[in-house]
Amino acid sequence: MSTTILVLGASGQIGTELTQKLREVYGNANVIASDIREGNEAMMNAGPFEIIDATDKKTILEVIKKYEVNQVYLLAAMLSATAEKFPQKAWDLNMSSLLAVLDLAKEKHIEQVYWPSSIAVFGETTPKNNTPQETIMEPSTVYGISKLSGEFWCKYYHDKFGVDVRSIRYPGIVSWKTKPGGGTTDYAVDIYFKAIENGTYECFLSKDTRLPMMYMADAVEATIKLMQADPNNVKIRTSYNLAAIDFTPNEIANSIQKYLPNFNITFKPDFRQKIADSWPSSIDDSAARKDWDWNHKYNLDRMTKEMITSLSAELKVM
Ligand code: AKB
């Protein structure tokens, strides 16, 4: 049977690039992009696009029927920093959208679901270095609480109703095509924009705050790889730890200075410091590497080189 995919939240940071890649793999007409508002021109022109509120189960079902969709990637979510400002809204969006899609799978309208979790499921009591797949999980943010609950909803629907739902705990994702919005790891994207535009960046985390991170190309590849894996190899039905690199604001600044020697960084930690301090510094993702052959390709310097080259061309400053 052919694969027809609906992406909910296609205009966001991950959605933009994942949708583009899915269209390359499965054909433009077989990947329906959707978001609460219109996407960028490239996305709207390349294939089908529908306006969908990801919490609106009825509209999702109408679109599933219209295009005979069999897989849903649910990427709509409120991220950590914004969720601390709007806790109820974050809980409603992050949970209602997931339960709507899981129910549609349980009712056999679709065959497979992808839903992202996050390193935010971990908390202050979690071992910080090389954080294991299974460990103490006491998240201290609303976003983390919603992701941890979501993971167990995924496992429940899988174990009880046979729903084929798959998930990854993303670290901070670095990309240049679409900026992230409202996350704690967003500094690692902002820093490249400011380095190119102004030559200087004021960082909202302290210089030695080490966090797990990943370049977008790796994140997109991992996501599609997991979704294409043989179901028998997908042994974890909460969510897989996934890792590539980890660095501090100081280290990313040093990497940028190799290409832009006059770049200058200053530090002014705000409320996001406390969130970052509650998250791991690095992640043990050996289960993903073993179960479905995950391997990252980008280290810090390779990512910096691609970010600076691509962003400079986009912003036309060099
Ligand atoms: C955030 O910072 O909230 C996200 C995440 C790590 O899930 N990027």
Side-chain angles (χ1 to χ4, degrees), residues 13 79-81 117-120 143 170-173 182-186 279:
Q13 186 203 12
L79 299 187
S80 56
S117 184
S118 159
I119 53 162
Y143 174 65
Y170 288 131
I173 309 286
T184 303
T185 58
D186 294 9
W279 289 353

Side-chain angles (χ1 to χ4, degrees), residues 10 23 38 51 72 88 123 138 192 204 208 236 259 281 309:
R23 283 180 166 163
E38 288 197 348
I51 300 280
V72 172
Q88 186 66 49
E138 296 184 315
Y192 288 105
F204 58 75
D208 293 323
I236 291 167
Y259 300 91
S281 301
T309 315

Side-chain angles (χ1 to χ4, degrees), residues 173-244:
I173 309 286
V174 179
S175 67
W176 58 272
K177 286 191 186 157
T178 304
K179 281 191 181 184
T184 303
T185 58
D186 294 9
Y187 93 85
V189 174
D190 291 342
I191 195 170
Y192 288 105
F193 277 83
K194 294 284 174 3
I196 291 167
E197 285 170 338
N198 309 334
T200 166
Y201 178 64
E202 185 179 87
C203 185
F204 58 75
L205 298 182
S206 67
K207 72 182 191 357
D208 293 323
T209 307
R210 180 172 300 283
L211 287 170
M213 298 275 183
M214 178 175 289
Y215 190 51
M216 179 63 86
D218 275 338
V220 165
E221 197 193 313
T223 306
I224 296 176
K225 214 172 168 56
L226 172 62
M227 285 296 273
Q228 290 180 337
D230 180 327
N232 296 319
N233 294 340
V234 183
K235 303 229 163 56
I236 291 167
R237 293 296 181 155
T238 47
S239 188
Y240 276 94
N241 275 7
L242 195 75

